[in-house]
Amino acid sequence: QYNYQQNLQSELMALLMENSTFTELPEALIAQHEEMIKYNIESTAAMYGVDGPTFAYYFYNITDYDAFVKENANYSCQTMVAVQAIAEKEGLIPEEEEMNKRLQKLALDNGWESLEQLLSQYDKEEIKESLIYEDVLAYLVKNAKITHE
């Protein structure tokens, strides 16, 4: 069931992205995502004692590191914009009070003593974006016309 749900969500997100068009993405947003991607790759690479491009080449056969980072940053930004547009259109963005309740529950459910402790380690806006992403995925699953071949 878990794998089915994960595959369904991946397929729905892929379909959403295939059927979405984007005119122009903010360069600052793309740069921010590029930095996050590089940080994640280079943090993992450091555990193996290599740099990001070397790690990407040997572990994922990525020959053009900068192009890979740019492409993934663009896709990540496009996904973020598409999800935000659906969330706004369908009224899936909770009011501040509701979001704070969800953040509090998330913190406690995941072993943090308080929301403040969670927020000392993670960015509140990134967590909120993640919760909205989950809400949009749930909306897509609920409203999808699923056929099995």
Side-chain angles (χ1 to χ4, degrees):
Q1 182 64 27
Y2 175 80
N3 286 340
Y4 173 79
Q5 226 21 55
Q6 293 300 308
N7 289 337
L8 177 59
Q9 290 174 351
S10 293
E11 288 294 322
L12 289 171
M13 190 53 67
L15 284 168
L16 171 65
M17 297 309 293
E18 285 173 20
N19 291 293
S20 298
T21 54
F22 302 89
T23 52
E24 192 173 329
L25 296 169
E27 285 300 318
L29 185 62
I30 293 171
Q32 179 185 8
H33 281 253
E34 286 176 359
E35 289 305 311
M36 286 189 313
I37 291 167
K38 284 181 181 179
Y39 175 80
N40 289 335
I41 292 171
E42 291 167 8
S43 295
T44 304
M47 291 189 287
Y48 292 93
V50 296
D51 64 5
T54 302
F55 177 82
Y57 177 76
Y58 284 106
F59 283 85
Y60 300 107
N61 200 31
I62 296 166
T63 55
D64 189 339
Y65 180 71
D66 291 330
F68 172 80
V69 168
K70 183 89 170 159
E71 180 180 318
N72 279 278
N74 276 315
Y75 186 81
S76 177
C77 290
Q78 288 174 345
T79 301
M80 191 173 148
V81 168
V83 165
Q84 185 70 24
I86 290 171
E88 288 174 6
K89 183 177 186 293
E90 300 302 330
L92 300 174
I93 299 176
E95 298 292 327
E96 193 67 26
E97 184 178 328
E98 176 62 25
M99 181 59 79
N100 286 334
K101 286 180 186 175
R102 289 181 68 189
L103 290 170
Q104 183 72 34
K105 182 176 178 350
L106 178 73
L108 297 176
D109 287 352
N110 287 284
W112 298 93
E113 291 179 19
S114 67
L115 177 56
E116 290 72 28
Q117 187 184 34
L118 171 68
L119 296 178
S120 72
Q121 298 291 316
Y122 297 97
D123 181 67
K124 184 176 184 178
E125 290 306 311
E126 287 180 23
I127 297 170
K128 288 166 91 173
E129 286 174 12
S130 177
L131 291 173
I132 291 169
Y133 181 88
E134 289 175 12
D135 291 346
V136 168
L137 269 179
Y139 171 83
L140 292 175
V141 168
K142 179 181 176 189
N143 291 287
K145 292 184 178 29
I146 301 168
T147 57
H148 297 281
E149 294 179 14

